[in-house]
Amino acid sequence: MNTHKTLTQYIVEQQRTNPQSTGDLSGLMNDIASACKKISHLVNRSGIIGIGGVADSENVQGEVQKELDIITNDVMVDHLNWTGHLAAMASEEIEEIIQIPDNQPKGKYLIAFDPLDGSSNIDINLSVGTIFSILRCPEGVTSPTVEDFKQKGTEQVCAGFCVYGPTTMMILTTGNGVDGFTLDQDVGEFILTHPKMTIPEDTAEFAINMSNQRFWEPPVQRYIDECIKGVDGGREKNFNMRWVASMVAEVYRVLTRGGVFLYPLDTKPTTQGGKLRLMYEASPMAFIVEQAGGVCSTGRERVLDITPEGVHQRVPVILGSKNEVERIISYHQE
Ligand code: AHM
Ligand code: MG
């Protein structure tokens, strides 16, 4: 019989490797895991309990919210705002920084999260997920503001995402490699099933929303054109394409079998400057991808080196297998 390690055991073992640890980060990671289990359950039952529809509202970026966007945001807040590990939160669904209630203890960490990434896929029963990034709250700050969140991705203490697909999986890094856990729905525990995930350096698979082609810049036009032409266009191999429209599913695929994922800079009015949000999409995914041996860039700079201008800032994202992402970066430099 397989006796796998649980996430709880993994977190405690990691904590023991650092004698200075107070257990706060461990506690916070457990809180996030609890929230993700609840979200997994809700996503799974959304059709039955009637929460799979469109809400009568828009989020800060003017995008139509799904009922589950709002519900999962509340699940995250309700699981994280009382345990004493956080000083404040930022969410894709809420414009302002979410403060910890006055009657609850405050902790030393900040979190930025997208409670339900890929939510346009809910009603068609494709994978969606939760993405999070944990930062330290600056010393002495008791009521964090946007300024306190504006830290480079290199400052992240932990990043992860949960993907609610055929199985629910949690992918985590604390800067010491990337590990993947599968939710055992019967027992309610995440089990370490994918230790030390690594991204192959080479790939013959790309992911991009081709409907935006006319809005891309020349370097991306050139790269995708070459992939499509394959051996008939000068490349040494032919390429395959995927587009799930759920970043969590795309990054999970890249972590599993390699690949390159692009949401590049484009001139489309709604996504000018890139579509994906730096602090709770690009930056945590960049931390994970780099820890797994991949590369994550805007095409012009390393995503982890960007100093945020705001909590909801958008950036172009090109991530995945090292040799392909470096090729795309080189096209931007020419
Ligand atoms: P969301 O956070 O509102 O779900 O938007 C982010 C998602 C990503 O998961 C995905 O890569 C992208 O948007 C898909 O965009 P498009 O619909 O333009 O293909
Ligand atoms: Mg998202």
Side-chain angles (χ1 to χ4, degrees), residues 92 114 117-118 277 281:
E92 174 176 324
D114 178 355
D117 183 59
R277 277 52 59 110
E281 292 176 329

Side-chain angles (χ1 to χ4, degrees), residues 63 92 114 116-119 209 212 243 245-247 261 263 275-277 281:
E63 296 161 342
E92 174 176 324
D114 178 355
L116 201 64
D117 183 59
S119 53
N209 184 340
N212 293 328
W243 187 250
S246 263
M247 193 191 198
F261 164 89
Y263 216 114
K275 170 166 181 180
L276 299 173
R277 277 52 59 110
E281 292 176 329

Side-chain angles (χ1 to χ4, degrees), residues 6-17:
T6 65
L7 176 62
T8 316
Q9 188 182 349
Y10 166 95
I11 290 171
V12 170
E13 283 179 7
Q14 283 224 332
Q15 185 189 324
R16 286 183 189 149
T17 62

Side-chain angles (χ1 to χ4, degrees), residues 292-330:
V295 178
C296 182
S297 169
T298 64
R300 293 185 169 80
E301 67 181 314
R302 183 185 176 213
V303 166
L304 289 181
D305 283 337
I306 302 173
T307 302
E309 286 162 17
V311 162
H312 301 290
Q313 178 186 354
R314 295 174 191 262
V315 289
V317 176
I318 300 168
L319 64 79
S321 292
K322 184 169 175 287
N323 291 337
E324 290 304 309
V325 179
E326 284 178 349
R327 175 187 283 263
I328 304 168
I329 293 170
S330 75

Side-chain angles (χ1 to χ4, degrees), residues 69-86:
D69 283 323
I70 299 167
I71 293 167
T72 56
N73 179 71
D74 292 348
V75 169
M76 288 294 280
V77 172
D78 292 348
H79 275 76
L80 301 177
N81 73 357
W82 59 274
T83 54
H85 302 127
L86 287 173

Side-chain angles (χ1 to χ4, degrees), residues 19-328:
Q20 269 86 52
S21 169
T22 57
D24 271 315
L25 181 62
S26 302
L28 176 54
M29 287 162 77
N30 276 317
D31 300 341
I32 296 166
S34 298
C36 290
K37 285 185 218 172
K38 174 83 180 182
I39 294 173
S40 173
H41 175 77
L42 288 169
V43 167
N44 230 272
R45 295 183 55 80
S46 56
I48 297 168
I49 54 182
I51 54 169
V54 176
D56 194 14
S57 54
E58 288 186 347
N59 69 8
V60 284
Q61 8 255 323
E63 296 161 342
V64 174
Q65 284 178 309
K66 297 289 177 76
E67 283 176 289
L68 268 173
D69 283 323
I70 299 167
I71 293 167
T72 56
N73 179 71
D74 292 348
V75 169
M76 288 294 280
V77 172
D78 292 348
H79 275 76
L80 301 177
N81 73 357
W82 59 274
T83 54
H85 302 127
L86 287 173
M89 301 176 250
S91 166
E92 174 176 324
E93 302 305 328
I94 307 286
E95 177 140 27
E96 300 83 23
I97 299 303
I98 306 166
Q99 299 294 340
I100 302 300
D102 287 338
N103 59 347
Q104 301 294 353
K106 287 188 184 173
K108 59 184 180 199
Y109 293 107
L110 303 174
I111 191 169
F113 58 81
D114 178 355
L116 201 64
D117 183 59
S119 53
S120 70
N121 278 331
I122 292 167
D123 33 8
I124 54 169
N125 198 23
L126 283 186
S127 297
V128 289
T130 301
I131 312 174
F132 61 90
S133 161
I134 301 174
L135 299 162
R136 280 190 190 82
C137 183
E139 286 286 325
V141 173
T142 51
S143 297
T145 65
V146 173
E147 293 308 307
D148 301 306
F149 276 83
K150 284 160 62 176
Q151 304 179 33
K152 287 185 181 180
T154 47
E155 299 299 311
Q156 291 174 99
V157 178
C158 171
F161 68 91
C162 202
V163 51
Y164 314 109
T167 59
T168 290
M169 292 212 49
M170 169 86 78
I171 309 300
L172 277 180
T173 187
T174 53
N176 183 25
V178 178
D179 295 300
F181 303 80
T182 305
L183 181 60
D184 182 336
Q185 306 272 4
D186 293 336
V187 185
E189 284 266 29
F190 280 103
I191 308 293
L192 178 62
T193 49
H194 295 61
K196 298 285 164 247
M197 300 179 88
T198 51
I199 301 174
E201 288 190 354
D202 287 300
T203 182
E205 196 161 67
F206 67 94
I208 193 163
N209 184 340
M210 286 295 298
S211 71
N212 293 328
Q213 183 173 21
R214 67 188 185 283
F215 304 111
W216 303 333
E217 294 187 303
V220 172
Q221 296 277 7
R222 171 181 169 192
Y223 176 73
I224 297 298
D225 185 55
E226 288 175 0
C227 288
I228 290 170
K229 291 192 174 124
V231 292
D232 296 327
R235 285 297 308 247
E236 68 294 356
K237 56 190 167 190
N238 291 322
F239 281 76
N240 188 19
M241 196 195 92
R242 288 283 184 279
W243 187 250
V244 190
S246 263
M247 193 191 198
V248 287
E250 321 267 13
V251 173
Y252 185 76
R253 185 186 59 249
V254 168
L255 283 166
T256 314
R257 66 178 189 213
V260 53
F261 164 89
L262 303 92
Y263 216 114
L265 189 68
D266 66 34
T267 56
K268 203 175 168 189
T270 49
T271 57
Q272 227 158 21
K275 170 166 181 180
L276 299 173
R277 277 52 59 110
L278 174 61
M279 294 211 64
Y280 39 80
E281 292 176 329
S283 193
M285 291 309 201
F287 191 17
I288 292 166
V289 165
E290 285 199 5
Q291 283 293 317
V295 178
C296 182
S297 169
T298 64
R300 293 185 169 80
E301 67 181 314
R302 183 185 176 213
V303 166
L304 289 181
D305 283 337
I306 302 173
T307 302
E309 286 162 17
V311 162
H312 301 290
Q313 178 186 354
R314 295 174 191 262
V315 289
V317 176
I318 300 168
L319 64 79
S321 292
K322 184 169 175 287
N323 291 337
E324 290 304 309
V325 179
E326 284 178 349
R327 175 187 283 263
I328 304 168

